[in-house]
Amino acid sequence: MDALTLTLLTTGLLLIAALAAYAWNLWRRVWANQRARDEAQQERQQRLGGDLHILASSLLDEQLPLIEGAIRIKVLLDNYDSTLSNDSRCQVFHVLFEATADVPTHAAWKALDKSERRRFEKRFNELELQHKAAARIAARWLLDEGLKGPQASA
């Protein structure tokens, strides 16, 4: 083998080794990013689960208005676990959410005149009378069983 061939072969092997090392470094970054993403997702799920636990407990202890609690629980459930959110035992949260979807919030609520506010408050009272027992049962189920499922341990 002459010197040129040996030089080209050595250069080629060094280039392959350098590219392999670079590829390995890139894969390590990908794996680290994936691990970080998984940890962030797990922390998010734990945070949402804790928030759902607090809301369901507050709803049962009547520290939170039924309508507001149901809306908040529904939104968090959608983000926590769509399968759990769509469970028939949580349907009451969806019903209350949809029944109040047209109610103005925040500044728009404050801008309503008193008669409009009273009309909405009357509807809230009717909805509460109609769905309070079901909402309490659903909140109790969430605390006792729903939030202890596969997502809660993930």
Side-chain angles (χ1 to χ4, degrees):
M1 217 188 289
D2 64 0
L4 179 62
T5 306
L6 189 56
T7 304
L8 289 176
L9 184 59
T10 304
T11 304
L13 288 175
L14 287 174
L15 184 60
I16 289 171
L19 289 173
Y22 181 63
W24 177 253
N25 185 36
L26 290 177
W27 275 112
R28 286 184 48 216
R29 285 187 196 174
V30 167
W31 295 326
N33 286 340
Q34 182 62 44
R35 214 173 15 259
R37 210 174 10 257
D38 291 346
E39 288 171 5
Q41 176 66 17
Q42 188 175 21
E43 288 173 13
R44 177 182 177 271
Q45 287 302 107
Q46 288 174 346
R47 196 171 49 253
L48 286 171
D51 291 348
L52 281 164
H53 191 274
I54 290 168
L55 286 172
S57 295
S58 297
L59 192 128
L60 288 172
D61 294 342
E62 297 183 1
Q63 297 174 346
L64 180 68
L66 178 79
I67 302 299
E68 180 182 349
I71 291 169
R72 289 177 183 238
I73 289 171
K74 186 264 185 206
V75 171
L76 285 180
L77 273 175
D78 286 348
N79 288 290
Y80 179 71
D81 181 354
S82 61
T83 303
L84 181 60
S85 180
N86 291 322
D87 189 288
S88 61
R89 292 166 283 204
C90 294
Q91 190 61 37
V92 67
F93 301 128
H94 290 269
V95 169
L96 290 169
F97 180 86
E98 291 171 17
T100 58
D102 64 326
V103 177
T105 60
H106 305 93
W109 174 262
K110 291 177 183 177
L112 291 176
D113 63 48
K114 287 188 179 195
S115 65
E116 285 182 279
R117 271 196 221 164
R118 283 194 186 106
R119 186 174 52 87
F120 282 122
E121 288 168 350
K122 181 180 180 216
R123 190 162 99 199
F124 294 161
N125 289 334
E126 291 168 356
L127 288 168
E128 186 169 339
L129 286 173
Q130 189 176 7
H131 297 287
K132 184 174 186 175
R136 291 179 59 80
I137 290 168
R140 174 54 50 205
W141 176 80
L142 274 176
L143 290 173
D144 293 345
E145 296 176 38
L147 295 174
K148 298 197 182 350
Q151 269 316 82
S153 63

